[in-house]
């Protein structure tokens, strides 16, 4: 598996900033594994290696890294095999020995030490440490994509999760949001757009999702959908007009909720607009 390389980096604010290097601690990266009991070790190892190995400048060391990665991934895809487990351990040990031998011969500090150290972390199952070590020279976004892909979650909005992390949300919260919203992939596009906007601004909670779900189930016409979208986006004129119509129809409580920002009345207000 090969993830695409991008130039963006997550700066100190947590947002993607082109051209800036950064490094999150291993504890930040470990949040990905904590949210799923289906974390795919073979997948994340392979993608991390795809990103790290080409950065190893020494041809001999790079070849040893490729061999070790191939053997370890084969083992992770068949963890029940003692033979593959032994071969994986030996291949990793040989890679480490090659690094030590080259460093002993080098007159200057070996420039591939950081890259190889990150790869060894990955090959030995320390994925959070590997990502933290590799982040300055690989970039943050490719690593995020590697971890998100390895979660193997059903009904999961990968794109939104990556965007949320890029906007500064922590991995745990962003993954939970992606998992929640993934269940509602059948919602109409206009409603999903509102969901994404609210998630990006940190205004998406269970009550909001429940209210938006009512809008999705309301089977609104195109015109009614436009009304609902304007209300959800905070159009004060539309909110007041819709609240007044609710009052005219005897829905006084719903009108009051709508004016107070309670989204539970949005679906009702939109459905009461004549077709």
């Amino acid at each position: 598996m090969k993830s695409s390389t991008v130039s963006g980096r997550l700066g100190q604010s947590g947002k993607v900033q082109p051209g800036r290097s950064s490094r999150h601690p291993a504890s930040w990266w470990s949040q990905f594994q904590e949210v799923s009991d289906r974390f795919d070790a073979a997948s994340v190892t392979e993608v991390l290696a795809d990103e790290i190995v080409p950065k190893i400048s020494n041809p001999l060391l790079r070849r040893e890294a490729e061999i070790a990665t191939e053997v370890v991934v084969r083992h992770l895809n068949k963890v029940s095999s003692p033979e593959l487990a032994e071969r994986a351990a030996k291949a990793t040990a040989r890679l480490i020995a090659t690094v030590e031998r080259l460093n002993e011969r080098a007159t200057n500090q070996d420039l591939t030490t950081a890259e190889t150290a990150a790869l060894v972390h990955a090959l030995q199952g320390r994925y959070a440490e590997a990502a933290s070590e590799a982040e300055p020279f690989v970039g943050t976004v490719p690593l995020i994509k590697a971890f998100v892909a390895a979660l193997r979650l059903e009904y999961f909005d990968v794109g939104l999760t990556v965007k949320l992390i890029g906007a500064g949300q922590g991995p745990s919260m962003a993954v939970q949001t992606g998992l929640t919203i993934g269940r509602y992939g059948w919602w109409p596009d206009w409603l999903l757009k509102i969901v994404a906007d609210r998630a990006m601004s940190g205004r998406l909670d269970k009550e909001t999702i429940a209210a938006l779900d009512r809008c999705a189930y309301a089977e609104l016409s195109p015109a009614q959908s436009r009304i609902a979208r304007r209300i959800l986006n905070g159009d004060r004129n539309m909110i007041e007009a819709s609240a007044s119509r609710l009052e005219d129809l005897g829905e006084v409580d719903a009108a009051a909720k709508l004016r107070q920002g309670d989204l539970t009345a949005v679906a009702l207000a939109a459905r009461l607009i004549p077709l």
Side-chain angles (χ1 to χ4, degrees):
M1 183 185 297
K2 176 72 175 175
S3 63
S4 59
T5 302
V6 298
S7 61
R9 300 289 188 271
L10 294 183
Q12 293 180 350
S13 66
K15 297 183 179 181
V16 174
Q17 299 181 29
R20 293 189 62 180
S21 61
S22 65
R23 181 175 175 180
H24 289 86
S27 58
W28 190 89
W29 289 102
S30 67
Q31 293 179 53
F32 287 99
Q33 290 176 255
E34 294 167 359
V35 297
S36 173
D37 57 3
R38 300 174 60 188
F39 192 78
D40 191 333
S43 169
V44 76
T45 300
E46 187 172 11
V47 180
L48 287 175
D50 283 342
E51 296 292 347
I52 295 170
V53 172
K55 305 291 192 301
I56 299 175
S57 59
N58 184 288
L60 173 60
L61 190 56
R62 186 167 60 249
R63 180 55 184 156
E64 287 287 356
E66 292 170 346
I67 294 172
T69 299
E70 181 181 352
V71 176
V72 169
V73 170
R74 193 180 306 156
H75 160 59
L76 292 173
N77 280 319
K78 193 176 181 180
V79 294
S80 60
S81 171
E83 179 185 355
L84 287 176
E86 183 179 356
R87 291 178 60 189
K90 287 182 177 179
T92 303
R94 186 165 56 248
L95 174 62
I96 295 172
T98 302
V99 174
E100 293 174 349
R101 186 170 64 254
L102 290 174
N103 283 340
E104 288 174 358
R105 297 176 182 176
T107 55
N108 297 315
Q109 183 179 4
D110 193 294
L111 297 180
T112 62
T113 299
E115 292 82 353
T116 311
L119 180 63
V120 169
H121 278 310
L123 297 181
Q124 294 183 331
R126 298 186 295 272
Y127 309 115
E129 289 81 356
S132 182
E133 292 283 346
E135 191 173 6
F137 58 85
V138 167
T140 308
V141 176
L143 296 174
I144 288 173
K145 290 181 178 179
F147 276 78
V148 168
L151 294 176
R152 292 290 188 262
L153 295 172
E154 293 183 300
Y155 308 111
F156 182 58
D157 193 323
V158 175
L160 177 59
T161 300
V162 173
K163 288 180 181 178
L164 290 173
I165 295 173
Q169 285 196 18
S172 181
M173 180 181 296
V175 169
Q176 290 296 344
T177 301
L179 184 59
T180 300
I181 300 307
R183 300 190 184 102
Y184 301 100
W186 57 271
W187 282 0
D189 289 343
W190 67 267
L191 197 53
L192 291 175
K193 174 64 166 57
I194 290 174
V195 167
D197 290 344
R198 285 179 174 264
M200 292 290 286
S201 61
R203 296 181 296 125
L204 190 65
D205 52 27
K206 292 181 179 179
E207 290 73 20
T208 301
I209 292 173
L212 297 177
D213 198 27
R214 292 189 183 92
C215 290
Y217 272 108
E219 297 183 357
L220 304 178
S221 69
Q224 292 170 336
S225 296
R226 287 193 292 272
I227 297 299
R229 183 166 57 248
R230 290 177 62 183
I231 295 174
L232 290 168
N233 284 330
D235 186 321
R236 297 308 306 175
N237 291 331
M238 182 55 64
I239 291 172
E240 182 56 38
S242 300
S244 296
R245 181 167 181 77
L246 286 171
E247 289 174 334
D248 292 342
L249 295 172
E251 299 287 348
V252 178
D253 290 342
K257 289 181 179 180
L258 195 64
R259 289 192 176 99
Q260 293 167 4
D262 188 334
L263 300 182
T264 58
V266 174
L268 175 61
R271 289 197 68 178
L272 291 177
I273 301 299
L275 296 173

